[in-house]
Amino acid sequence: MGVAVPGKSGERRRRSGRSTGSRHPEGLGPWLRERLAAVRLPGRPTLRLRGRVAGPRLPERPTPRFRERFAALRLPRTRRGQRRLVQGLMVACVLALVPATWMRLAAGDRVGTTAEAPAREVAVVFGAGLWNGRPTPYLAHRLDAAAELYRTGKVKVVLVTGDNSRVEYDEPDAMRTYLTGRGVPDGRIVSDYAGFDSWDSCVRAKKIFGVDRAVLVSQGFHIHRAVTLCRSAGIDAYGVAVDEPRDATWYYGGARELAASGKAALDALFRPDPRFLGPEEPGVAEALAPTG
């Protein structure tokens, strides 16, 4: 219900059931000003200024709990404490960089372009998100590279692996639709609906779909991790690094790799089962079987 305001405009608002409102409480009428002035947030002080109600404010004097939390954030005052803080930060940075550096070294010379990729029967494309049910630009670029590998005869089958943990989100089917629109026959595309992360995708490609050798397709900041994980899962893998402009998304992906590399190192070391394994699927073997 709108607020009735005397005058023709008020009559129009009352008939339409809407209220245009006003930026200042003084323009809302005495009755509404009183209601606004009576508003109180539970446990929070309010401030009345000329009939208006101001939002919550900090107490004039910090509470003991606030002082304790603030004191915990203070930098060390002594030179020795500052030195230890700097050393701790350096150790944390080194520990964060070690897994990513190891994966880059482990991938070695097994990363290149589509032109440099060796001939393998299978290409594996990792999911990278959807926008309104369609591949994101980064995922589309991966699929473009996979379509090029198929057109040039470098691969015969494309295994698309992604997330389909809920009905309204289906990466593999969106990837399949995109590839068929780029000339890859539907019968040459195999879908893995439980590729929830890179390790799961690599293990399932080996254990569920029987892939022994493959060309992996991803962006440069991710491909070294993908190659290392698939090799740890038992796949002879070569990675195609898709070029991308150095935009905010690229830098975010590079920063994310620092955290993801730590988990990947643990996966490569302990080799856990994927979140969902399930029975073996003949999709890749059937797609590679001669026709006619």
Side-chain angles (χ1 to χ4, degrees):
M1 293 292 292
V3 177
V5 180
K8 295 182 179 179
S9 61
E11 291 297 330
R12 287 195 298 270
R13 285 192 294 269
R14 185 164 55 248
R15 287 196 297 269
S16 65
R18 298 180 181 178
S19 174
T20 58
S22 174
R23 292 186 178 181
H24 302 288
E26 287 82 0
L28 296 176
W31 178 84
L32 189 53
R33 285 204 304 272
E34 293 176 3
R35 296 302 184 275
L36 288 174
V39 173
R40 295 290 187 274
L41 294 176
R44 300 289 182 88
T46 58
L47 178 65
R48 188 192 301 274
L49 293 175
R50 297 181 182 179
R52 304 180 188 182
V53 178
R57 60 173 182 173
L58 293 174
E60 295 181 359
R61 294 183 179 181
T63 61
R65 181 179 297 180
F66 179 82
R67 288 197 298 267
E68 291 175 2
R69 292 179 177 178
F70 182 76
L73 298 176
R74 290 178 181 174
L75 295 175
R77 295 183 177 180
T78 64
R79 183 167 297 179
R80 182 179 181 183
Q82 294 173 357
R83 189 184 304 115
R84 288 183 176 178
L85 177 61
V86 172
Q87 292 173 347
L89 292 175
M90 292 177 63
V91 170
C93 291
V94 170
L95 292 177
L97 291 173
V98 165
T101 304
W102 168 68
M103 292 192 179
R104 183 170 290 271
L105 294 175
D109 57 353
R110 292 173 172 264
V111 174
T113 64
T114 53
E116 298 168 341
R120 301 282 171 88
E121 291 185 332
V122 181
V124 179
V125 184
F126 298 85
L130 302 177
W131 284 356
N132 298 322
R134 297 181 178 180
T136 61
Y138 270 45
L139 179 53
H141 296 163
R142 298 180 185 184
L143 296 169
D144 289 337
E148 181 180 351
L149 289 171
Y150 179 83
R151 285 194 301 269
T152 57
K154 293 289 185 71
V155 301
K156 299 178 181 178
V157 174
V158 181
L159 173 62
V160 292
T161 172
D163 186 356
N164 182 216
S165 57
R166 54 192 189 277
V167 175
E168 67 276 8
Y169 190 85
D170 191 342
E171 278 187 321
D173 277 358
M175 296 162 75
R176 175 186 290 272
T177 301
Y178 188 95
L179 285 172
T180 55
R182 299 302 183 276
V184 181
D186 186 75
R188 294 291 183 173
I189 304 171
V190 180
S191 298
D192 177 10
Y193 295 94
F196 300 124
D197 60 21
S198 300
W199 174 249
D200 286 11
S201 296
C202 291
V203 174
R204 287 180 54 81
K206 173 66 176 181
K207 294 185 177 181
I208 302 302
F209 295 94
V211 176
D212 296 319
R213 304 170 73 240
V215 176
L216 315 181
V217 184
S218 187
Q219 271 72 29
F221 54 75
H222 170 249
I223 193 63
H224 296 87
R225 175 161 63 95
V227 169
T228 302
L229 289 177
C230 280
R231 292 185 65 192
S232 297
I235 298 175
D236 181 7
Y238 183 93
V240 169
V242 180
D243 289 333
E244 295 290 347
R246 299 299 191 264
D247 55 6
T249 304
W250 190 91
Y251 285 109
Y252 167 77
R256 182 178 176 272
E257 279 301 302
L258 294 179
S261 295
K263 175 186 178 302
L266 295 176
D267 289 337
L269 179 62
F270 295 104
R271 301 183 181 181
D273 286 334
R275 194 184 314 178
F276 179 80
L277 193 60
E280 295 182 4
E281 297 187 17
V284 172
E286 291 177 354
L288 289 173
T291 58

